[in-house]
Amino acid sequence: MGKDYYKILGIAKGASDDDVRKAYRKMALKYHPDKNKSPGAEEKFKEIAEAYEVLSDKEKRKMYDDYGEDGLRGGMPSGTGEHPGNFTSYTFHGDPHETFRMFFGDENPFQGFFSFGGGPGGGGGSRPHQFGGFGHDVDMDMDMDEPFSRQFGRQGFSSGGQPFHRRKEQDKPIVRDLPVSLEDICTGCTKKMKITRNISQPNGQTIKEEKILTIDIKPGWKAGTKITFPKEGDQTPYNIPADVVFVIRDKRHTQFTRDGNDIRFTAKISLTDALCGTTIYVPTIGGRTIPLRLSEVIKPNTVRHIKGEGVPLAKQTSKRGDLIIEFEIVFPDELSRRAKQILSENLPS
């Protein structure tokens, strides 16, 4: 009756090309003689390679589907006519290790796996922040077959049946925003971010692994600053792991906004204070308050500067920007007749 290649790979006859590749990958890793020492594993490994070579080639697969193994090897059943197209009979070359090597490229999928030698460092025993500061773990999980299909294309052989190699490509960077408070930007701080990633094992299985990444944020770092952890993404035999990139973002503050190395603060004052003068007490990012005397008329576009109360300069932290005070003048909802008369008599027209 001949060999049932679909049954050997554990797939249905209508399986897609991608299903064929997935099935071969799974079965080849399971029965590879270097890893599977059970009786019959080597013969099974050879059958898997032969099945893959037939089912991954469009012409061979059609011939096998139409006429079975006999037709594939040139022994056409009687009354079936000539082979379609220019197909010539197929004979397995007999070396399943060559098929394995052509499929996985020059890299040995059983070597070079990343492993930890202990837990991450970190001071004080404090609990690390979750990824992004929102109480959720990083989710870097990827379909293991996605990097595989991107790496090796549609099959391990060219359309003409000739094997080809492709170099492994690095996955695209995994980029996450890291909101940082204005206080932390001014003083500097350390953030510990927990990531979860997929790690392939020598037996072909995939496990999820957690790791703590430590980010030392320097005083004065600007929004948009990138911190890159090279090759900390998913690790499989088919990819170069992605870089994990954190991008500093300014966290919204209740009192201040950042403007480069300056800090802006809006002071609300009454119309009377704006016209007649007053003393206001300006908060600073460090928690102090600074008295500021307003003796002249304050207009809506008036600003005042307090030197050295802004954000440190990243490359010269002994120097700081300014604290810039802007004003919001609160007008009364209504005026008495007497107030209107006094203003009319005393204010310039």
Side-chain angles (χ1 to χ4, degrees):
M1 182 176 179
K3 298 177 181 177
D4 187 338
Y5 292 136
Y6 292 101
K7 185 176 181 180
I8 290 172
L9 291 183
I11 56 178
K13 187 174 181 179
S16 67
D17 293 342
D18 192 46
D19 290 336
V20 173
R21 292 193 298 273
K22 291 179 181 179
Y24 173 75
R25 171 187 171 272
K26 178 180 178 181
M27 300 291 286
L29 290 172
K30 180 178 180 180
Y31 288 99
H32 194 289
D34 289 349
K35 297 296 176 183
N36 192 328
K37 303 300 182 183
S38 62
E42 189 164 357
E43 183 61 29
K44 180 71 172 178
F45 183 64
K46 182 176 180 180
E47 288 184 347
I48 292 165
E50 183 177 350
Y52 172 72
E53 286 204 12
V54 171
L55 299 184
S56 64
D57 184 283
K58 184 177 180 180
E59 292 185 6
K60 294 186 183 73
R61 182 173 180 177
K62 177 172 175 52
M63 181 62 66
Y64 174 74
D65 288 345
D66 290 345
Y67 304 112
E69 189 180 3
D70 289 339
L72 187 68
R73 310 210 182 282
M76 295 286 291
S78 60
T80 59
E82 297 297 328
H83 291 189
N86 296 320
F87 180 81
T88 58
S89 63
Y90 164 75
T91 302
F92 180 56
H93 55 69
D95 187 356
H97 294 278
E98 179 67 11
T99 303
F100 188 86
R101 187 177 69 83
M102 293 298 103
F103 183 90
F104 288 102
D106 292 329
E107 299 293 331
N108 185 340
F110 299 117
Q111 295 178 350
F113 290 94
F114 181 86
S115 61
F116 286 114
S126 60
R127 183 176 181 180
H129 293 280
Q130 300 293 322
F131 188 96
F134 299 110
H136 300 288
D137 291 346
V138 176
D139 184 4
M140 292 187 192
D141 298 344
M142 297 167 56
D143 186 344
M144 288 294 291
D145 293 307
E146 179 186 351
F148 159 74
S149 60
R150 181 171 64 246
Q151 173 62 34
F152 291 99
R154 295 183 59 83
Q155 58 188 32
F157 296 84
S158 66
S159 59
Q162 297 300 316
F164 63 90
H165 300 280
R166 286 189 181 179
R167 290 185 177 182
K168 292 195 296 184
E169 296 180 356
Q170 185 172 19
D171 293 340
K172 293 182 178 179
I174 301 168
V175 182
R176 296 290 185 270
D177 287 344
L178 178 57
V180 182
S181 69
L182 193 51
E183 288 84 356
D184 285 342
I185 287 294
C186 287
T187 60
C189 66
T190 297
K191 300 285 188 182
K192 293 182 180 296
M193 314 304 293
K194 182 168 70 174
I195 65 171
T196 303
R197 59 187 180 173
N198 291 326
I199 303 291
S200 293
Q201 301 297 294
N203 62 3
Q205 294 182 338
T206 300
I207 65 171
K208 290 189 180 297
E209 183 176 64
E210 292 183 350
K211 185 177 181 181
I212 303 298
L213 303 180
T214 301
I215 304 173
D216 292 321
I217 297 173
K218 304 301 182 184
W221 273 7
K222 295 181 179 180
T225 300
K226 294 181 179 180
I227 306 97
T228 300
F229 292 87
K231 301 180 181 179
E232 290 289 358
D234 290 344
Q235 300 191 14
T236 78
Y238 324 110
N239 74 324
I240 298 173
D243 294 342
V244 176
V245 182
F246 294 96
V247 182
I248 299 295
R249 301 297 182 196
D250 290 334
K251 186 181 292 185
R252 184 182 295 275
H253 199 281
T254 57
Q255 290 182 296
F256 307 105
T257 57
R258 184 180 180 182
D259 184 3
N261 289 108
D262 295 329
I263 295 175
R264 291 184 175 272
F265 170 74
T266 300
K268 288 186 177 182
I269 61 174
S270 67
L271 178 60
T272 301
D273 289 341
L275 296 174
C276 302
T278 187
T279 297
I280 63 173
Y281 293 87
V282 181
T284 67
I285 196 67
R288 297 176 294 110
T289 57
I290 298 176
L292 180 64
R293 177 63 187 169
L294 306 176
S295 56
E296 71 281 8
V297 173
I298 300 299
K299 301 177 181 179
N301 60 350
T302 298
V303 295
R304 291 289 182 267
H305 288 247
I306 300 178
K307 297 291 184 182
E309 292 293 339
V311 177
L313 278 63
K315 296 183 179 180
Q316 199 173 2
T317 55
S318 61
K319 295 184 178 181
R320 303 172 73 105
D322 295 344
L323 175 58
I324 301 175
I325 299 94
E326 300 170 320
F327 296 93
E328 179 182 338
I329 301 171
V330 182
F331 283 72
D333 292 331
E334 58 184 20
L335 291 173
S336 66
R337 181 178 300 177
R338 175 63 177 161
K340 291 179 180 179
Q341 181 179 352
I342 293 172
L343 289 173
S344 177
E345 292 173 353
N346 290 276
L347 290 179
S349 57

